[in-house]
Amino acid sequence: SLPAGLVNQSYSATLTATGGTPANYSWSATGLPSPLAINPTSGQITGTPTAPFSGNVNVSLTDGSSNDSRSLALNIYRYAPPTYTTGTGLSDFIDGVVLGTINNTGTGATNGPTYTDYSTTQSTVLYQGGTFNASITGCPGGTQGISIFIDFNKNNVFETGEYVGGGSVPVSSTVAIALNIPASAALGTTGMRIRCVWNATPPFDPYASYTYG
């Protein structure tokens, strides 16, 4: 896979190869999100992405006499991912969120990804001054602390002051967690982060490194 990138931040990744005639290498790629582009001589992919992306990029290399191609996964995130040292390896994860029209039930897995960006596939409508219940399904690994953040000022950063709700989800259970939306919340489209950390008490940091979750 290719290194992940962030919206509105400069991206750079350089492809490498061995064999053939390096002086004749010519790189090409299809499926790159605009405005990312590949340098045919160096194999460097550069640009500043303007929107989230999750998909595969088809990369090809020729030296004039032989050809090779690969499909490489690429993720461009609007928000920097949270970090974990062990992550989901001991079955600590969120196995589903239901909030309005958002529904990703059954998407967690042992040794699965520690972060998934649903911003291009899932959305719902919340209202200023409203309280909404998010149904969170836990996992077999243990009780999970949940912290929920909404980027109210739309600066592409989840801040501690944007915490809107949290709670504790016992092993393999489903719990309703209330989200309290400020009356002063800015109108329009923005992002939400729902983060779990094993045996933690919310609120906890939206980005800091934890062991399990």
Side-chain angles (χ1 to χ4, degrees), residues 14-90:
T14 300
L15 303 175
T16 60
T18 58
T21 307
N24 295 336
Y25 280 179
S26 178
W27 297 89
S28 61
T30 59
L32 282 170
S34 179
L36 296 187
I38 189 169
N39 183 305
T41 302
S42 66
Q44 184 180 28
I45 298 171
T46 58
T48 302
T50 58
F53 175 84
S54 181
N56 290 321
V57 176
N58 295 312
V59 176
S60 298
L61 173 64
T62 181
D63 67 352
S65 60
S66 59
N67 303 281
D68 193 13
S69 61
R70 304 288 171 88
S71 180
L72 303 176
L74 172 64
N75 288 295
I76 303 295
Y77 299 123
R78 185 173 300 281
Y79 300 94
T83 56
Y84 298 89
T85 54
T86 300
T88 62
L90 295 180

Side-chain angles (χ1 to χ4, degrees), residues 110-170:
T110 302
N111 292 318
T114 57
Y115 176 70
T116 304
D117 184 350
Y118 292 98
S119 63
T120 60
T121 59
Q122 303 262 2
S123 65
T124 196
V125 176
L126 305 177
Y127 301 96
Q128 292 171 317
T131 298
F132 303 85
N133 285 326
S135 179
I136 311 294
T137 299
C139 59
T143 297
Q144 303 298 313
I146 302 292
S147 283
I148 304 175
F149 303 86
I150 295 178
D151 180 21
F152 290 121
N153 62 9
K154 303 180 185 180
N155 67 347
N156 290 344
V157 177
F158 293 110
E159 300 162 4
T160 55
E162 294 175 325
Y163 172 80
V164 294
S168 180
V169 181

